[in-house]
Amino acid sequence: MSELTRLSIDEAADLLKRRQVSAEDLTRAALERIAATEPALHSFITVTAEGAMEEARAADARRARGEHGPLLGIPVAIKDIILTRGTRTTAGSKILSTFVAPYDATVSARLRAAGAVCVGKLNCDEFAMGSSTENSAFGVTRNPWDTERVPGGSSGGSASAIAAAQCLGTLGTDTGGSIRQPAACCGVVGLKPTYGRVSRYGVIAYASSLDQVGPLARTVRGCAAMLGVVAGHDTADSTSVPRPVPDYAAHLDGKVRGLRIAVPREYFVEGVQPEVEAAVRTALHALEGQGANVSEVSLPHTRYAVATYYLVATAEASSNLARYDGVKYGHRAAAAEGLVDMYRKTRAEGFGAEVKRRIMLGTYALSAGYYDAYYLRAQKVRTLIRRDFEAVFAEHDVVLTPTAPTTAFRIGERTSDPLQMYLSDIFTISVNLAGLPAISLPCGFDTRGLPIGLQIIGRPFAEEIVLKAADAYERLTEWHRRTPDAVAQGGA
Amino acid sequence: MARGQYEPVIGLEVHAELLTAAKVFCGCSAKFGAPPNQNTCPVCLGMPGTLPVVNRRVIEFAMRAGLATRSEIAHYSRWARKNYFYPDLPKGYQISQYELPICTGGAVDIEVEGAPRTIRLTRIHMEEDTGKNIHDAHGDASLVDFNRCGVPLLEIVSEPELRSAAEAGAYLRKLRAILQYLEICDGNMEEGSFRCDANVSIRPVGSKPFGIKVEIKNMNSFRAVERAIEYEIERQTTVLDDGGRLVQETRLWDPDRELTRSMRSKEFADDYRYFPDPDLLPLVIDDAWIAAVRETLPELPDARRQRFVDRYGLPAYDAEVLTQRKDLADYYEAVVRHHANAKAISNWIMGDVLRVVRERKLDNAPIIHDWPVLPERLAALVKLIDDGEISGKIAKTVFEEMVSTGGSPVEIVAARGLTQISDDAAIQAAVDAVIGANTAKVAEYRGGKDKLFGFFVGQVMKATEGKANPQKVNELLRAALAG
């Protein structure tokens, strides 16, 4: 494969700055790599080759005028649940298979303004509901480390595209772990920012109080560069927070001396793949070796997180997905008799099984007579989970856990057992319920050669601390430099 | 139980469209009457990915309504989603308020046949309006106009304390007047910017529990509300008197046939699956904000009515009529500012001005921008009478011409030579001429037929083209006839 596609974002930016490479070169290399690897992987729903080359030329022109910036001319791709004006945006669903976005999401507009080159829209679980990217109406995405396995989900396309060197940075969304878990499965870095740090405007909603957009890249530094561009207050999103965006790169000094790391005992329990636990413990020792202080803590309400999540998330989803009714856009059932029949058939045809399952669960959780017992109770537990973290963060800087209990599983292995699938996110879900920032980065490989993810969780709006700790660890290891063999020969 | 032994129990739910320039959750125009779907954007169309951002003016308008009705303004309230499917509801839910509305309590004072009453309010909350379905306009398809989607609404819910159609009418008129005085709603029932649903039940007099409630919709005038409630009380009474049972249901008012008909049964209540809207932060209002809004409150109808009595010495009836509409009260005060004959001006407005307003159907308009005559001209007309320049009778003629031509009374009087003749010699000449021309009648009068006096007055007025000062005419005629 072309070495250009193996670059990290900051390496590429450096070459662009020194005029050793052009955005056109980078983009052409990415598009060639995509063409070569897509048949085996299917990371993308839509590849925007023409538009990308235009954007690359525009970026080169901006560079020529003396402009610079961390993403100017960098080939990126965007999860197909984030609107990109004039391009089809499907959320991985048949019901939106013909939907062309009439406006840019704020994050898309910010990438555009920064001169990032968008090479396409990435595959995902339908409406971000899933942990394997098997629930896409456009077909399964495969893990570049083993194409018989899932890339994780729901941002599976976003993770596999980085792992397979199809582009240098991607955006995903994370509602219960949908950036971090696929990042772990694919051996890349994925950051879920604090709720409110990044605008959700133009991001197709799954569960509004949990969804957050975040970057995936080959390195921690790459994620920091992406976050720096997309983060910040947006008047179009009332839940986005008016706080200044720090210069994340400036915090990445490799120093963790005195960093107080909490390790919750609830995350090292039965069911965790032994190699995962071993890799995470080794990572802890490595950080300790650099002067970090590690201590065990308890997050006692962790065991209620999955149940709480599936009540809150599905309740919000049942409401958020009501707009897909066939009246205004998207799929409409052809042969319907009257209004109610049109609604029923449109939604029956347009939504996949997992989406229907969650709509039904959420509708039930909100219905009269059950609201107090389910939704309201779940919100109370959510508060307890947040307080668990607040107590730990009173005395610690970060919480360190495995990202997922296991490495990537086989395609089809868990599709018949939704509950088993839901447990894939068991270590990531609490973070969304508490609205915290967290990163996943590679910390080893199991005996099958599959990547293992390390999760670092921070205080609200302390992305710079999370990134700093992750970067310090990354500097100690070479995990992020490994290339998946499965599709390594796809390009070149 | 015999007729007349039931007590009606009525509660009203009013939806008032707010007069903000922009919609509640986006920047689109909230103006009525644009071509279909012109005033729309991704946000109010509920396109994928869109998010609502609250228009601060809407909150202030709600606070104005709350303060004007003595409601409690919540320091912490919340937006909720009301979930249901309908083609004119693009998101599949309506953003509203539910368990924590912005205003609670409050009251509206009314008076029916001289008896004052206070009707308490349950709540006032904010919500977004829906679009409009248009059926049968295009073959067998239905079309949707989303212009109204996201137009801000207040829902004002009364306690079930109204006891008659007349009370309901008085309550609605007072509520509309308050909203109009606050300049937050135009109160136009025909265009749907002031809509009302009525909950009506009856119960045996003296009984505590409520009877079976019927909700009536589709009333687009005050008269329709009153007629519908009257009809419904009558219908429910008949059903019970005949030994029948009432069912909880929604009924539509049919204005052509003047009756209500069943729309749907409410035996199974709708489940709207309300929950707090996660896209919007809770609404926090501090005392300083409440105080600032309170500062901006105008004088309200009741206070103004009292002031009209106190300051202008008007009878209570006049004050009531003149303050029913803010624009009418403003008009009255503008006239009085130019000429301080409060009662004469009140008479002119309640009589001739409002007659023209009704003839031109301006009374249906929410705000009368073009009153039949400008305030300073009506003032000038009354001044001409008071100064003895023209007679009251001539003034009627002048007024009609002012209405049709828009001219000023002074100019009309001058141009048409309508100035009153008060000059003794001129009137005496006319009197002499009339007496000279009617010797027989003069003899009859002098013989005791007093009634003929009116005839002589008429003749003199005719001779002077109505311009003679009637008092002088009387005076000089009496003297001449006494001869």
Side-chain angles (χ1 to χ4, degrees):
Chain A
M1 83 181 98
S2 163
E3 281 305 309
L4 290 182
T5 58
R6 284 301 307 169
L7 295 169
S8 68
I9 288 175
D10 52 298
E11 286 166 349
D14 190 49
L15 291 179
L16 283 166
K17 194 176 177 183
R18 292 193 280 124
R19 302 286 170 86
Q20 294 188 341
V21 69
S22 69
E24 263 196 271
D25 297 335
L26 287 172
T27 304
R28 197 174 297 112
L31 290 171
E32 281 168 9
R33 177 73 181 158
I34 289 168
T37 50
E38 266 303 273
L41 294 179
H42 190 40
S43 308
F44 286 82
I45 290 175
T46 306
V47 177
T48 52
E50 262 180 54
M53 289 311 294
E54 267 176 48
E55 288 173 11
R57 282 188 286 273
D60 283 331
R62 284 171 66 177
R63 288 256 180 212
R65 289 197 298 268
E67 272 188 64
H68 51 85
L71 296 187
L72 184 55
I74 303 290
V76 301
I78 297 174
K79 186 179 184 178
D80 206 26
I81 202 163
I82 298 170
L83 268 63
T84 45
R85 185 177 183 143
T87 308
R88 184 171 71 139
T89 300
T90 68
S93 182
K94 182 182 172 187
I95 212 159
L96 284 175
S97 54
T98 59
F99 179 71
V100 175
Y103 69 99
D104 256 337
T106 299
V107 290
S108 305
R110 287 182 177 175
L111 282 181
R112 228 185 261 280
V117 174
C118 181
V119 296
K121 305 297 292 290
L122 298 156
N123 200 13
C124 57
D125 282 308
E126 185 179 0
F127 288 103
M129 296 177 186
S131 308
S132 66
T133 315
E134 292 168 289
N135 299 330
S136 166
F138 299 87
V140 176
T141 295
R142 289 165 185 275
N143 191 319
W145 294 93
D146 177 352
T147 53
E148 296 305 306
R149 291 179 182 269
V150 301
S154 65
S155 309
S158 304
S160 72
I162 299 293
Q166 293 176 321
C167 59
L168 305 191
T170 59
L171 287 185
T173 60
D174 191 315
T175 306
S178 281
I179 288 174
R180 293 159 285 154
Q181 185 260 9
C185 287
C186 292
V188 301
V189 186
L191 173 69
K192 185 247 145 192
T194 311
Y195 185 79
R197 176 83 279 186
V198 179
S199 170
R200 292 184 295 114
Y201 187 74
V203 180
I204 294 177
Y206 158 23
S208 307
S209 75
L210 301 163
D211 296 343
Q212 190 64 189
V213 178
L216 295 96
R218 201 151 293 127
T219 60
V220 173
R221 201 165 275 277
C223 281
M226 296 272 290
L227 180 66
V229 166
V230 298
H233 183 230
D234 177 13
T235 53
D237 176 359
S238 312
T239 62
S240 93
V241 176
R243 286 171 74 117
V245 179
D247 179 358
Y248 295 113
H251 286 85
L252 308 181
D253 57 8
K255 292 178 188 152
V256 289
R257 182 158 302 284
L259 184 78
R260 297 166 301 169
I261 300 175
V263 180
R265 66 174 70 97
E266 288 81 3
Y267 285 64
F268 295 85
V269 289
E270 216 175 321
V272 178
Q273 194 177 318
E275 293 151 298
V276 169
E277 175 163 357
V280 171
R281 295 227 181 261
T282 305
L284 272 170
H285 292 312
L287 286 166
E288 259 183 320
Q290 296 297 305
N293 304 316
V294 176
S295 52
E296 192 181 89
V297 297
S298 173
L299 294 166
H301 295 94
T302 300
R303 62 197 178 108
Y304 303 114
V306 173
T308 301
Y309 172 83
Y310 278 97
L311 288 170
V312 172
T314 59
E316 293 181 8
S318 71
S319 174
N320 284 334
L321 270 57
R323 70 190 63 196
Y324 307 106
D325 57 6
V327 172
K328 303 169 293 297
Y329 48 77
H331 177 75
R332 179 191 285 181
E337 285 170 26
L339 178 66
V340 173
D341 194 43
M342 192 275 280
Y343 283 155
R344 283 189 180 141
K345 285 190 172 139
T346 293
R347 290 167 69 83
E349 293 168 9
F351 289 139
E354 184 59 30
V355 171
K356 287 176 190 165
R357 185 151 43 231
R358 296 195 193 195
I359 290 173
M360 284 192 283
L361 187 55
T363 302
Y364 185 77
L366 286 179
S367 55
Y370 298 100
Y371 179 87
D372 289 359
Y374 294 116
Y375 183 79
L376 202 61
R377 178 67 60 89
Q379 290 293 14
K380 288 176 180 169
V381 177
R382 185 177 180 175
T383 302
L384 298 177
I385 290 170
R386 185 182 297 128
R387 286 194 191 140
D388 278 359
F389 277 107
E390 281 167 9
V392 167
F393 282 124
E395 289 170 17
H396 299 85
D397 300 306
V398 293
V399 172
L400 206 138
T401 77
T403 306
T406 68
T407 54
F409 44 91
R410 288 184 178 281
I411 289 168
E413 187 182 316
R414 297 186 186 174
T415 43
S416 59
D417 186 351
L419 288 181
Q420 184 66 25
M421 181 78 89
Y422 293 171
L423 294 176
S424 310
D425 293 334
I426 191 165
F427 294 157
T428 48
I429 273 174
S430 301
V431 168
N432 299 78
L433 290 168
L436 305 172
I439 200 166
S440 175
L441 72 166
C443 71
F445 288 81
D446 70 3
T447 50
R448 296 191 200 92
L450 297 170
I452 296 168
L454 172 72
Q455 177 173 236
I456 303 173
I457 307 165
R459 286 187 203 100
F461 297 100
E463 280 84 1
E464 65 272 26
I465 297 174
V466 169
L467 287 163
K468 177 189 163 106
D471 171 67
Y473 174 75
E474 193 178 77
R475 290 175 192 226
L476 299 174
T477 67
E478 295 291 320
W479 306 121
H480 60 287
R481 298 198 194 282
R482 284 214 194 170
T483 305
D485 294 334
V487 290
Q489 302 312 310
Chain B
M1 183 171 285
R3 271 174 188 267
Q5 289 186 268
Y6 294 106
E7 174 186 54
V9 175
I10 304 158
L12 297 183
E13 286 175 24
V14 168
H15 283 91
E17 267 186 15
L18 295 179
L19 286 171
T20 52
K23 293 185 179 182
V24 53
F25 297 120
C26 65
C28 286
S29 167
K31 215 172 152 78
F32 179 84
N37 295 308
Q38 182 170 289
N39 294 345
T40 59
C41 71
V43 173
C44 57
L45 287 175
M47 296 295 273
T50 53
L51 296 170
V53 176
V54 180
N55 177 351
R56 200 179 151 95
R57 295 281 288 165
V58 173
I59 297 164
E60 290 180 348
F61 279 18
M63 287 162 75
R64 284 167 78 81
L67 292 171
T69 52
R70 312 197 291 274
S71 304
E72 185 78 22
I73 310 296
H75 289 104
Y76 183 93
S77 65
R78 208 148 59 181
W79 298 96
R81 291 187 186 176
K82 179 181 182 180
N83 293 281
Y84 64 98
F85 285 95
Y86 210 63
D88 66 7
L89 189 66
K91 297 188 291 295
Y93 57 84
Q94 185 180 14
I95 304 177
S96 180
Q97 295 194 297
Y98 185 55
E99 90 285 24
L100 296 174
I102 185 165
C103 307
T104 50
V108 170
D109 299 320
I110 60 168
E111 202 175 293
V112 175
E113 287 168 10
R117 280 204 64 200
T118 294
I119 306 303
R120 287 181 300 154
L121 301 181
T122 312
R123 61 190 280 158
I124 301 175
H125 73 247
M126 303 175 285
E127 62 185 33
E128 57 177 342
D129 210 343
T130 63
K132 203 170 109 187
N133 294 324
I134 302 157
H135 302 293
D136 307 322
H138 194 266
D140 59 350
S142 291
L143 306 177
V144 198
D145 177 3
F146 292 108
N147 276 345
R148 210 176 58 187
C149 273
V151 169
L153 286 181
L154 288 188
E155 181 171 332
I156 303 162
V157 184
S158 83
E159 293 283 311
E161 293 183 344
L162 297 157
R163 293 289 172 264
S164 69
E167 283 190 3
Y171 166 83
L172 272 184
R173 285 188 179 85
K174 177 57 71 65
L175 193 58
R176 185 174 81 158
I178 291 170
L179 299 181
Q180 286 178 334
Y181 269 69
L182 295 169
E183 294 177 334
I184 62 174
C185 174
D186 67 21
N188 190 327
M189 286 190 90
E190 286 183 332
E191 285 179 4
S193 53
F194 187 79
R195 316 195 276 271
C196 169
D197 299 338
N199 290 306
V200 180
S201 63
I202 58 173
R203 64 183 173 193
V205 171
S207 143
K208 276 273 170 216
F210 293 137
I212 301 294
K213 175 179 77 175
V214 164
E215 185 179 24
I216 322 172
K217 289 180 178 290
N218 198 39
M219 301 162 292
N220 63 359
S221 70
F222 288 116
R223 185 181 146 75
V225 174
E226 288 167 336
R227 296 283 298 127
I229 291 171
E230 278 165 13
Y231 176 87
E232 194 54 31
I233 293 169
E234 192 66 26
R235 186 189 70 83
Q236 292 184 17
T237 303
T238 305
V239 169
L240 293 187
D241 280 349
D242 292 352
R245 277 187 49 211
L246 294 164
V247 288
Q248 185 171 335
E249 60 181 345
T250 299
R251 296 177 74 88
L252 289 181
W253 172 245
D254 182 336
D256 298 327
R257 293 156 66 200
E258 295 235 312
L259 49 80
T260 65
R261 55 194 163 78
S262 185
M263 183 169 106
R264 60 172 185 246
S265 163
K266 273 233 170 175
E267 272 177 70
F268 301 97
D270 296 312
D271 185 354
Y272 291 116
R273 305 189 316 281
Y274 281 101
F275 75 107
D277 191 326
D279 288 330
L280 290 162
L281 303 177
L283 180 56
V284 178
I285 297 172
D286 60 17
D287 288 331
W289 194 7
I290 296 173
V293 171
R294 196 189 294 276
E295 283 289 299
T296 69
L297 288 189
E299 185 181 37
L300 292 167
D302 287 348
R304 200 165 193 184
R305 186 192 57 204
Q306 192 54 49
R307 185 165 63 79
F308 275 25
V309 172
D310 297 344
R311 174 161 169 194
Y312 301 117
L314 291 179
Y317 175 80
D318 292 37
E320 174 68 26
V321 171
L322 293 174
T323 55
Q324 257 175 15
R325 297 179 60 130
K326 179 172 185 293
D327 49 3
L328 177 60
D330 288 346
Y331 180 77
Y332 173 77
E333 295 214 84
V335 181
V336 172
R337 255 196 301 282
H338 285 95
H339 180 65
N341 188 343
K343 178 57 184 159
I345 289 166
S346 168
N347 290 345
W348 273 95
I349 292 176
M350 293 199 302
D352 295 79
V353 175
L354 285 181
R355 171 180 53 79
V356 177
V357 164
R358 274 191 295 275
E359 281 167 8
R360 297 184 176 186
K361 301 211 183 302
L362 293 174
D363 53 336
N364 292 329
I367 292 166
I368 301 176
H369 292 291
D370 303 309
W371 284 94
V373 294
L374 295 172
E376 59 267 35
R377 293 195 169 159
L378 184 62
L381 180 67
V382 177
K383 187 167 188 300
L384 286 174
I385 305 167
D386 291 347
D387 292 350
E389 295 286 325
I390 56 172
S391 66
K393 191 157 186 265
I394 290 290
K396 299 278 180 191
T397 312
V398 175
F399 180 80
E400 293 311 317
E401 188 158 340
M402 287 162 69
V403 168
S404 56
T405 65
S408 93
V410 176
E411 283 165 10
I412 292 168
V413 167
R416 293 190 43 190
L418 295 173
T419 311
Q420 183 162 268
I421 302 167
S422 300
D423 171 22
D424 282 5
I427 298 173
Q428 187 64 54
V431 167
D432 292 346
V434 167
I435 287 176
N438 296 283
T439 45
K441 290 229 160 66
V442 172
E444 279 181 55
Y445 177 83
R446 286 179 177 157
K449 206 166 177 189
D450 291 351
K451 278 186 198 159
L452 276 173
F453 189 74
F455 165 79
F456 292 113
V457 173
Q459 289 298 305
V460 174
M461 292 309 277
K462 197 174 164 189
T464 58
E465 292 173 314
K467 292 181 286 187
N469 182 328
Q471 236 175 320
K472 288 253 162 84
V473 172
N474 278 340
E475 214 174 280
L476 296 175
L477 254 182
R478 261 184 230 290
L481 287 168

